[in-house]
Amino acid sequence: MDATQTETAKVTFPVAGMTCASCQAFVQRTLEHEPGVQSAAVNLMLNEATVWYSPAKTGVERLVEAVRGTGYGAEAPRAAEHLIAEQNERDRELSQEYHKLRFQAVVTLALGLAAMLLSMPLMQMAGAEGGMGAVHVDPFMAAISTWADALLRPMLPSLYSVPAAVLRVALFALSLFVLLWSGRQFFVKAWSALRHGASDMNVLIAMGTGSAFVYSSVATWAPRWLESHGVAPDVYFEAVILIIGLILTGNMLESGAKRRTTTALMTLARLQAPTARVEHSGGVEEVPLDQVQPGDVVVVRASERLPVDGEVMEASSGVDESMLTGESMPVEKKPGDRVMGGTLNGPGLLRYRATHLGGDSVLAQMVRLLRDAQSSRAPIQRLADQVSAVFVPCVIAIALLVLAAWWLAAPSSGLARGISCAVAVLIIACPCAMGLAVPAAVMAATGRAASQGILIKGGEPLQRLASITTVILDKTGTITQGRPQVVRLETCDAAAFPERRIIELAAAVEAGSEHPLAAALVRYAREKAIEVPKVQAFRALPGMGAEGVCGGTKVTVGSARLFAERGIAAEKLNKIADQFAADGITPLLMAWDNQAAAVIGVADPIKPTSAPAIARLQRLGLRVVMLTGDREAVARAVAREVGIKDVEAETLPEGKVEAVERWRKLGPVAMVGDGVNDAAAMAHSDAGIAMAAGSDVAMDAGDVVIMRSDLSGVVDAIETARRAMRVMKQNLFWAFLYNVIAVPIAAGALFPKFGILLSPVLASAAMSVSSVSVVTNSLRLARPPR
C-alpha cells in the first residue's frame, strides 16, 4: 500500500457559535462522518476542533466547509510565525466575541424592559376582562408586575389610554426586530442542525421563542379567530425578547468565564518579547524577533524579559524563572548555563548566545502542550456526551406532551398556558451546563497547574492522575540533586596505588560514560587539577560500570558484581564498600591490570524539599516506593532519611518496567523520573511524571512534566488532579439535578397543588444561571487550595 494512503495528519482550527454539549456533539459527528477522517475532538470551551485525517482522502478546506455547512463558523488555521503568535490572535478574538455578546445582551435586555412596560396596560386590560392576564401564576413575575404597575401608572398615565391593538403592534415590531437581529443566530443554527438530522440548544431556543412569537402574532393580527376557538388572545412578545436577552447574557457571562479559564495560556503567550537586542560588530541593534538567528549574541538589560532561549556568555545577576517553572527564587546564571525566553532578567546585564528560536523554544513548547491539554477530553465527559445525544429530542417530546396535556385539560385557556409551559420547558432544559461541566474544569485545572510550573497533558492524564494509589520515585535526580560528588577515597595500598594515579585512571575511563557517577569522577579530577588522559578500548557496561585501557594499563571501575564477573579478587574492597554504603555513600570499585586498587565514594545530596514532599504524599494516603539501580545499603540509607519504607534497589533499567507492573497489581501507579532514562517505566505506568530542571525539560516524556526539579511539584499535580475530579463530578451532578428538578416545574408540576407556573422569562434566567454556575465552580480550581 502507498505510504500516502496510510499517512495521518492532524489539524486544529477554530469553530465559532457553539454554546452547548449538543452543539459540540453535532459538529464532532459531522467531522467524524467526513471521508478520510479517523477521529475528531471538538472543544466547547476553546471553540475549536482537532481532527486526525488522511491527506490522501480529504483536506483542511473540506473539513472547514463541512463545519460551515452545519451553520457554525469555521476557518482554516492561519499561517502564523509560531504558536505564540497564533495564541495571541485567539486571545484577541475571544475578547471581540465577549464584547459583541455584551453589546447584543445589553441592547436586547433594554428592549425587553421597554416591552415589559408596554405590556403592563395589556396585562391590566386582560385582568379586567377576566382573561389569562388576570392570573399571574408565576409568583416572581406577579410580584414584578404588581410593583411595576404601581410605579408606572402614576408616571405614565397616558400609556394606559393607548388602545390594546396599538400596543400589540408596537410589541410585535420590537420582538420582530430582536428576532431578526440578536436572535437570528439561534434560528440559523437551528435550521442547519435540523437539515442535518440533528438537534441542539439552538433548536430548543428557536422552537421556544418561535412558538411564542407565532402565537402572539396571531393574537395581534387575528385575535377574534382565537376567541372564536375559545382561546384567550394573550401576547408573549416581552417574553420572547427577554428570553433572548437573558440567553445572550448567559452566553456573555460564559464567554467571560471561559476567558478566565484560559488565563494561564494567555499569560504564557504574552511572555514572548516582541523584539531582541542583538550584538553586531557595529554595536547593539534592536530587531524584531523573527530576525534573530541561532548563534546571535543577545543582550538583555536589567529587569527585561529574555526574548529567546540561549546559552549564557556573561551574567551579573540571576534570572526569575517563576513564570515558567514555578520556582519563586531567582536562579543565578553563570557562563555555559541555559536560559529560557520569557523569563525575567535580574538587576544586572545578561549576554547570551541564541539557540532555540520560534516553535523550538521552551515557552512555545509549553504553550503547545497546554493548548493540547486544554483541547483534550477527560473520559468522564463521555457520560455527558451520551446524555446530550438523546437529550434535546426528549425535551422536545416532553414540551409537545405538556402542550397537549394543557390543551386537553382546559380547551378554553389551556392552549395559552400550554404554550407558556412548553416554551418554559424548551428554554429551561438547554444542555449548556452539561457541555461545560468537564471541559471547564479541565481548562481551569491545567491552567492552574501551568502557573505552578506543572504541565498536565490533558483531561485523560488528569483523570488518571487523580486515581493514583502508589507513587514510584526514581532516586537519582528525583529524590537527590542528580549531581553526585566524590566524598571519599580509600586505597588498598597507598604506596602501590597512589591516590593521584587512581583519580587519573578512573576519570579517564569514566570520561567516556554518560552516567552521573562518571561525571562526578571527571569533575573531581578537574577540581584536583589532574589532566584526564585519553582511553582506548572503552566499554560501558550498563548497570555495572565501565572499563578501558589507559597508557597500556587496563582499568576497571564499577560494582562488586562487575569485579566478580572479571574474576578480580576484591575482598578488602568489598568490606570498605559495605561501610561506604551503610553511610549512604555509593561505592565505586577501581582496579588496574585486574588488581583491586581502591574504593571511590560518591554521594548525591538529597534535595531539601524531598522529605517534606514525600511526607505530603503519604498524608494524601499514597504509598511511596523508591526504585533505584544503586546498592541496597545506599538506597536504604537514603530512604530512611526521606521517610520511605518501600525500596527496590539494584534494579537494572529493564527491571524498572517489571517493578512498575508488579506495583500496578495493587492499584494505579505514577512513575516519577527524569523523563529520559525512566521513559520505559513511565510509559508502563498509569501516569508518567517527568521531573525537569527548567530548560532541560524533556517535553515528550510523561503524562505530566514538572518544570522545576522539586518533588513538591508532584504533590501539587496530584492534589490539583483530585480537586479537578471533585469539581467535574460536582458540575455533572448539578447539571443533571438541575434538569431533573427544573423540567417538571416548567411543565407545571406545582400548578395542581400550589397554583404556580414558571414563566418562560424566569426559565431563561434559570438556564443562564445554571451554565454560569458550572463555569464559576470550575474557576475555583484556578485559585490556590485553602
Side-chain angles (χ1 to χ4, degrees):
M1 183 181 290
D2 190 352
T4 58
Q5 299 295 317
T6 58
E7 182 183 354
T8 300
K10 173 187 172 184
V11 64
T12 299
F13 56 89
V15 178
M18 296 186 297
T19 52
C20 72
S22 296
C23 305
Q24 170 188 293
F26 176 34
V27 175
Q28 185 163 312
R29 284 196 305 272
T30 301
L31 288 169
E32 288 174 341
H33 290 155
E34 279 293 302
V37 172
Q38 298 172 6
S39 63
V42 178
N43 187 284
L44 179 62
M45 290 293 294
L46 287 176
N47 286 326
E48 67 181 20
T50 301
V51 185
W52 290 264
Y53 66 97
S54 169
K57 297 180 180 179
T58 190
V60 176
E61 287 299 333
R62 182 169 175 176
L63 296 173
V64 169
E65 285 303 318
V67 174
R68 288 175 179 166
T70 65
Y72 295 92
E75 59 183 42
R78 298 182 186 86
E81 176 196 348
H82 53 71
L83 199 62
I84 294 176
E86 183 182 332
Q87 183 58 44
N88 284 325
E89 177 64 21
R90 290 200 179 189
D91 294 344
R92 187 184 64 79
E93 290 173 355
L94 276 175
S95 179
Q96 287 180 340
E97 177 193 61
Y98 172 78
H99 286 96
K100 176 185 176 183
L101 285 170
R102 185 175 67 178
F103 175 72
Q104 289 183 330
V106 168
V107 173
T108 304
L109 285 177
L111 293 175
L113 291 175
M116 279 195 71
L117 295 179
L118 293 177
S119 300
M120 295 306 301
L122 292 177
M123 292 180 186
Q124 300 306 315
M125 292 175 195
E129 296 167 3
M132 275 287 295
V135 183
H136 294 291
V137 290
D138 181 335
F140 178 75
M141 294 302 293
I144 291 180
S145 175
T146 302
W147 173 81
D149 181 68
L151 183 67
L152 189 64
R153 190 180 290 272
M155 293 176 60
L156 296 172
S158 58
L159 181 63
Y160 285 79
S161 62
V162 177
V166 175
L167 291 174
R168 287 192 178 106
V169 170
L171 287 168
F172 170 82
L174 271 180
S175 60
L176 181 62
F177 169 75
V178 168
L179 288 176
L180 293 176
W181 177 57
S182 57
R184 179 177 179 273
Q185 55 187 308
F186 302 116
F187 289 86
V188 171
K189 293 172 186 173
W191 172 243
S192 179
L194 292 173
R195 279 195 305 113
H196 289 81
S199 53
D200 59 13
M201 185 199 85
N202 299 292
V203 172
L204 298 182
I205 295 172
M207 288 186 66
T209 56
S211 58
F213 177 77
V214 169
Y215 176 82
S216 301
S217 298
V218 173
T220 298
W221 301 107
R224 292 182 181 177
W225 181 82
L226 288 178
E227 290 173 344
S228 68
H229 288 79
V231 177
D234 295 323
V235 294
Y236 296 98
F237 290 125
E238 81 285 354
V240 171
I241 300 172
L242 285 171
I243 287 170
I244 291 176
L246 287 169
I247 290 172
L248 287 171
T249 302
N251 291 345
M252 175 199 72
L253 294 173
E254 288 172 27
S255 176
K258 286 178 185 178
R259 291 173 68 202
R260 290 197 294 278
T261 63
T262 60
T263 298
L265 197 51
M266 294 179 184
T267 301
L268 279 178
R270 290 169 185 168
L271 292 177
Q272 179 72 73
T275 61
R277 289 189 181 84
V278 178
E279 193 176 90
H280 295 298
S281 55
V284 177
E285 179 185 1
E286 187 167 345
V287 300
L289 208 60
D290 57 1
Q291 294 183 18
V292 179
Q293 300 297 319
D296 283 351
V297 176
V298 178
V299 179
V300 182
R301 295 184 297 201
S303 302
E304 289 184 337
R305 291 206 179 276
L306 279 63
V308 296
D309 293 8
E311 185 176 302
V312 174
M313 300 172 64
E314 177 185 344
S316 57
S317 69
V319 175
D320 181 0
E321 299 178 344
S322 60
M323 60 288 297
L324 298 185
T325 67
E327 176 60 57
S328 57
M329 297 299 293
V331 180
E332 290 298 323
K333 297 295 181 181
K334 58 182 183 298
D337 287 349
R338 292 182 63 186
V339 289
M340 297 174 284
T343 55
L344 192 64
N345 187 31
L349 186 72
L350 180 68
R351 291 177 67 249
Y352 67 97
R353 185 174 287 105
T355 54
H356 298 83
L357 308 174
D360 294 330
S361 69
V362 170
L363 179 59
Q365 290 182 69
M366 286 186 68
V367 170
R368 183 182 299 109
L369 277 177
L370 185 54
R371 270 202 32 197
D372 288 347
Q374 297 193 335
S375 300
S376 68
R377 297 159 64 83
I380 195 175
Q381 190 170 344
R382 292 175 192 143
L383 176 63
D385 292 343
Q386 290 167 356
V387 172
S388 64
V390 297
F391 187 77
V392 173
C394 289
V395 170
I396 294 173
I398 291 170
L400 292 175
L401 287 174
V402 167
L403 174 61
W406 276 99
W407 196 358
L408 293 173
S412 61
S413 61
L415 179 61
R417 281 181 173 168
I419 287 176
S420 177
C421 290
V423 170
V425 167
L426 291 170
I427 298 301
I428 206 167
C430 289
C432 299
M434 224 177 297
L436 296 169
V438 175
V442 169
M443 291 186 67
T446 53
R448 167 63 186 167
S451 69
Q452 297 173 290
I454 303 165
L455 298 177
I456 302 174
K457 299 182 181 179
E460 186 172 349
L462 187 74
Q463 186 167 337
R464 283 191 273 112
L465 189 62
S467 67
I468 293 303
T469 58
T470 300
V471 178
I472 300 178
L473 305 175
D474 178 46
K475 179 177 75 71
T476 304
T478 302
I479 296 174
T480 62
Q481 293 181 3
R483 190 175 173 84
Q485 303 168 359
V486 175
V487 294
R488 287 190 201 173
L489 192 153
E490 290 193 24
T491 65
C492 290
D493 185 339
F497 306 108
E499 181 177 316
R500 191 173 182 85
R501 180 63 172 164
I502 287 171
I503 297 170
E504 179 184 336
L505 294 176
V509 171
E510 295 289 21
S513 174
E514 296 181 354
H515 196 280
L517 299 182
L521 269 173
V522 175
R523 281 197 306 273
Y524 187 67
R526 289 173 180 163
E527 290 168 4
K528 294 286 186 179
I530 297 174
E531 186 175 345
V532 179
K534 292 184 178 180
V535 67
Q536 291 84 38
F538 170 78
R539 187 182 177 194
L541 305 164
M544 292 192 291
E547 58 187 7
V549 177
C550 184
T553 301
K554 183 180 180 181
V555 182
T556 305
V557 182
S559 65
R561 189 167 69 174
L562 174 60
F563 273 49
E565 286 192 7
R566 295 293 182 265
I568 302 173
E571 187 174 335
K572 185 176 180 180
L573 291 190
N574 286 335
K575 289 181 180 179
I576 299 171
D578 290 341
Q579 186 180 349
F580 279 21
D583 295 335
I585 299 171
T586 301
L588 290 177
L589 281 62
M590 187 269 188
W592 71 48
D593 291 335
N594 290 333
Q595 293 185 17
V599 180
I600 303 169
V602 181
D604 188 2
I606 295 172
K607 297 173 186 174
T609 56
S610 291
I614 289 166
R616 286 177 61 197
L617 287 171
Q618 292 166 341
R619 284 197 296 272
L620 290 176
L622 296 166
R623 179 189 295 108
V624 181
V625 180
M626 187 171 76
L627 188 60
T628 179
D630 213 336
R631 289 171 64 113
E632 181 83 21
V634 175
R636 293 287 176 188
V638 172
R640 280 195 302 272
E641 192 168 342
V642 296
I644 295 177
K645 295 179 181 178
D646 296 301
V647 179
E648 292 200 25
E650 301 182 32
T651 306
L652 297 176
E654 57 271 20
K656 290 187 176 182
V657 174
E658 297 174 6
V660 168
E661 293 295 348
R662 282 198 309 274
W663 285 105
R664 285 188 72 193
K665 293 177 182 177
L666 300 178
V669 167
M671 174 67 199
V672 185
D674 62 10
V676 180
N677 297 329
D678 302 302
M682 290 163 61
H684 281 77
S685 67
D686 297 279
I689 302 178
M691 298 285 292
S695 57
D696 294 328
V697 59
M699 287 290 185
D700 293 329
D703 302 303
V704 180
V705 178
I706 309 295
M707 293 291 291
R708 60 185 190 272
S709 189
D710 183 350
L711 267 180
S712 62
V714 176
V715 192
D716 293 338
I718 294 173
E719 287 181 336
T720 297
R722 289 185 174 185
R723 289 178 64 210
M725 286 307 301
R726 284 197 298 271
V727 168
M728 287 181 205
K729 291 173 182 177
Q730 290 167 3
N731 286 349
L732 286 173
F733 175 78
W734 162 246
F736 289 130
L737 181 66
Y738 161 79
N739 282 291
V740 168
I741 295 174
V743 171
I745 292 176
L750 298 179
F751 185 77
K753 187 171 183 179
F754 302 101
I756 295 175
L757 291 178
L758 187 69
S759 75
V761 173
L762 197 58
S764 62
M767 187 273 288
S768 297
V769 168
S770 71
S771 302
V772 174
S773 66
V774 162
V775 182
T776 304
N777 188 43
S778 299
L779 283 172
R780 294 190 299 114
L781 293 167
R783 300 193 296 267
R786 293 181 179 179

